[in-house]
Amino acid sequence: RTQLQDVGLVPELLAGCWDGALHTLFTRLWCLFAAMGSLPREVLKWLQSLDLVHPVRHPRRDFCNGYLVAEILGWYFPRSLHVHTFVDGQSLGHRLGNWQQLEKIFLQENLQVSKEMIDGTLHCKPGAAEVLINVLFMTLTNRR
C-alpha cells in the first residue's frame, strides 16, 4: 500500500506533472496536507499578504470554486487574467466555468498544474487544494 492509499487518495493525481524526485516530493506533500488538513504557515502568510476577498480558513472549501485562485493569479498576471470574469459561487456550473478559465491561464503562463490537481480541488478531495496552492506558492514566489 502507498501513503496515498492510506489517506484515501488516488496515486494518479500527481502523475504526469513531474518526474522523479519532484513527483516523489509532491506525493509526500499531498499525503502530509491530507493528514494535516491545512497549509504551512509560510503559505498562509503569503496568502494573507495578497489581501484576498475572503480569508482562507478551510482550504478545501475556500478554493473549490477557483475564485481565490483567480485572485491570486490576478496579482501575478494582471494583463492575462481579469478577476471580474470569474463567479464567486458554489454551483457546479460556476465552479467548472471558473476552472476552465483558469486552465487556459495555467497553459498561457506555463504553470505546472495538472488536470488531476484541478479536479481534486474542484471536487474537494482531501489534500488537493493544499497541494495546488503549495505548487502555486513555490512557482510564483520561487521558494521551496
PDB file of all heavy atoms in Angstrom, residues 12-19 23 112 114 116:
ATOM      1  N   GLU A  12      -2.649   8.510  -8.905  1.00  0.00           N
ATOM      2  CA  GLU A  12      -2.508   9.120 -10.217  1.00  0.00           C
ATOM      3  C   GLU A  12      -2.707  10.630 -10.184  1.00  0.00           C
ATOM      4  O   GLU A  12      -2.486  11.303 -11.176  1.00  0.00           O
ATOM      5  CB  GLU A  12      -3.518   8.525 -11.206  1.00  0.00           C
ATOM      6  CG  GLU A  12      -3.299   7.067 -11.525  1.00  0.00           C
ATOM      7  CD  GLU A  12      -3.897   6.136 -10.485  1.00  0.00           C
ATOM      8  OE1 GLU A  12      -4.919   6.472  -9.889  1.00  0.00           O
ATOM      9  OE2 GLU A  12      -3.317   5.068 -10.263  1.00  0.00           O
ATOM     10  N   LEU A  13      -3.138  11.192  -9.055  1.00  0.00           N
ATOM     11  CA  LEU A  13      -3.426  12.611  -9.003  1.00  0.00           C
ATOM     12  C   LEU A  13      -2.234  13.476  -9.385  1.00  0.00           C
ATOM     13  O   LEU A  13      -2.397  14.538  -9.939  1.00  0.00           O
ATOM     14  CB  LEU A  13      -3.929  13.005  -7.615  1.00  0.00           C
ATOM     15  CG  LEU A  13      -5.423  12.780  -7.495  1.00  0.00           C
ATOM     16  CD1 LEU A  13      -5.801  12.253  -6.151  1.00  0.00           C
ATOM     17  CD2 LEU A  13      -6.145  14.040  -7.798  1.00  0.00           C
ATOM     18  N   LEU A  14      -1.041  13.018  -9.073  1.00  0.00           N
ATOM     19  CA  LEU A  14       0.141  13.798  -9.417  1.00  0.00           C
ATOM     20  C   LEU A  14       0.886  13.233 -10.612  1.00  0.00           C
ATOM     21  O   LEU A  14       1.866  13.799 -11.053  1.00  0.00           O
ATOM     22  CB  LEU A  14       1.091  13.871  -8.215  1.00  0.00           C
ATOM     23  CG  LEU A  14       0.574  14.686  -7.039  1.00  0.00           C
ATOM     24  CD1 LEU A  14       1.501  14.539  -5.854  1.00  0.00           C
ATOM     25  CD2 LEU A  14       0.414  16.138  -7.400  1.00  0.00           C
ATOM     26  N   ALA A  15       0.437  12.142 -11.127  1.00  0.00           N
ATOM     27  CA  ALA A  15       1.127  11.510 -12.258  1.00  0.00           C
ATOM     28  C   ALA A  15       1.077  12.423 -13.474  1.00  0.00           C
ATOM     29  O   ALA A  15       0.099  13.090 -13.729  1.00  0.00           O
ATOM     30  CB  ALA A  15       0.481  10.174 -12.581  1.00  0.00           C
ATOM     31  N   GLY A  16       2.145  12.437 -14.207  1.00  0.00           N
ATOM     32  CA  GLY A  16       2.203  13.234 -15.415  1.00  0.00           C
ATOM     33  C   GLY A  16       2.625  14.669 -15.197  1.00  0.00           C
ATOM     34  O   GLY A  16       2.895  15.379 -16.148  1.00  0.00           O
ATOM     35  N   CYS A  17       2.692  15.126 -13.950  1.00  0.00           N
ATOM     36  CA  CYS A  17       3.096  16.504 -13.696  1.00  0.00           C
ATOM     37  C   CYS A  17       4.610  16.625 -13.684  1.00  0.00           C
ATOM     38  O   CYS A  17       5.173  17.471 -14.330  1.00  0.00           O
ATOM     39  CB  CYS A  17       2.580  16.978 -12.337  1.00  0.00           C
ATOM     40  SG  CYS A  17       0.816  17.028 -12.226  1.00  0.00           S
ATOM     41  N   TRP A  18       5.226  15.778 -12.894  1.00  0.00           N
ATOM     42  CA  TRP A  18       6.667  15.840 -12.723  1.00  0.00           C
ATOM     43  C   TRP A  18       7.216  14.432 -12.711  1.00  0.00           C
ATOM     44  O   TRP A  18       6.539  13.494 -12.370  1.00  0.00           O
ATOM     45  CB  TRP A  18       7.027  16.505 -11.403  1.00  0.00           C
ATOM     46  CG  TRP A  18       6.515  17.878 -11.318  1.00  0.00           C
ATOM     47  CD1 TRP A  18       7.088  18.995 -11.844  1.00  0.00           C
ATOM     48  CD2 TRP A  18       5.316  18.322 -10.673  1.00  0.00           C
ATOM     49  NE1 TRP A  18       6.321  20.095 -11.583  1.00  0.00           N
ATOM     50  CE2 TRP A  18       5.231  19.716 -10.861  1.00  0.00           C
ATOM     51  CE3 TRP A  18       4.309  17.683  -9.965  1.00  0.00           C
ATOM     52  CZ2 TRP A  18       4.198  20.466 -10.370  1.00  0.00           C
ATOM     53  CZ3 TRP A  18       3.283  18.440  -9.477  1.00  0.00           C
ATOM     54  CH2 TRP A  18       3.232  19.813  -9.681  1.00  0.00           C
ATOM     55  N   ASP A  19       8.461  14.309 -13.041  1.00  0.00           N
ATOM     56  CA  ASP A  19       9.116  13.023 -13.000  1.00  0.00           C
ATOM     57  C   ASP A  19      10.068  12.972 -11.819  1.00  0.00           C
ATOM     58  O   ASP A  19      10.518  13.993 -11.317  1.00  0.00           O
ATOM     59  CB  ASP A  19       9.904  12.780 -14.294  1.00  0.00           C
ATOM     60  CG  ASP A  19       8.972  12.637 -15.491  1.00  0.00           C
ATOM     61  OD1 ASP A  19       7.879  12.099 -15.293  1.00  0.00           O
ATOM     62  OD2 ASP A  19       9.355  13.069 -16.577  1.00  0.00           O
ATOM     63  N   HIS A  23       8.201  14.495  -8.362  1.00  0.00           N
ATOM     64  CA  HIS A  23       6.970  13.724  -8.206  1.00  0.00           C
ATOM     65  C   HIS A  23       6.909  13.109  -6.806  1.00  0.00           C
ATOM     66  O   HIS A  23       5.878  13.166  -6.145  1.00  0.00           O
ATOM     67  CB  HIS A  23       6.880  12.639  -9.275  1.00  0.00           C
ATOM     68  CG  HIS A  23       5.665  11.774  -9.135  1.00  0.00           C
ATOM     69  ND1 HIS A  23       4.398  12.256  -9.365  1.00  0.00           N
ATOM     70  CD2 HIS A  23       5.517  10.487  -8.771  1.00  0.00           C
ATOM     71  CE1 HIS A  23       3.522  11.289  -9.146  1.00  0.00           C
ATOM     72  NE2 HIS A  23       4.182  10.210  -8.795  1.00  0.00           N
ATOM     73  N   GLN A 112       2.729  24.725 -14.021  1.00  0.00           N
ATOM     74  CA  GLN A 112       2.642  23.267 -13.996  1.00  0.00           C
ATOM     75  C   GLN A 112       1.539  22.803 -13.035  1.00  0.00           C
ATOM     76  O   GLN A 112       1.822  22.350 -11.931  1.00  0.00           O
ATOM     77  CB  GLN A 112       3.987  22.663 -13.582  1.00  0.00           C
ATOM     78  CG  GLN A 112       5.109  22.995 -14.529  1.00  0.00           C
ATOM     79  CD  GLN A 112       4.901  22.382 -15.895  1.00  0.00           C
ATOM     80  OE1 GLN A 112       4.549  21.222 -16.017  1.00  0.00           O
ATOM     81  NE2 GLN A 112       5.110  23.173 -16.941  1.00  0.00           N
ATOM     82  N   SER A 114      -1.662  20.226 -12.980  1.00  0.00           N
ATOM     83  CA  SER A 114      -2.267  19.128 -13.737  1.00  0.00           C
ATOM     84  C   SER A 114      -3.793  19.151 -13.646  1.00  0.00           C
ATOM     85  O   SER A 114      -4.380  19.729 -12.736  1.00  0.00           O
ATOM     86  CB  SER A 114      -1.752  17.789 -13.228  1.00  0.00           C
ATOM     87  OG  SER A 114      -2.293  17.516 -11.954  1.00  0.00           O
ATOM     88  N   GLU A 116      -5.528  16.660 -12.877  1.00  0.00           N
ATOM     89  CA  GLU A 116      -5.879  15.902 -11.681  1.00  0.00           C
ATOM     90  C   GLU A 116      -5.896  16.798 -10.442  1.00  0.00           C
ATOM     91  O   GLU A 116      -6.750  16.648  -9.569  1.00  0.00           O
ATOM     92  CB  GLU A 116      -4.911  14.736 -11.482  1.00  0.00           C
ATOM     93  CG  GLU A 116      -5.063  13.638 -12.521  1.00  0.00           C
ATOM     94  CD  GLU A 116      -4.395  13.958 -13.863  1.00  0.00           C
ATOM     95  OE1 GLU A 116      -3.628  14.947 -13.950  1.00  0.00           O
ATOM     96  OE2 GLU A 116      -4.652  13.219 -14.822  1.00  0.00           O
TER      97      GLU A 116
END
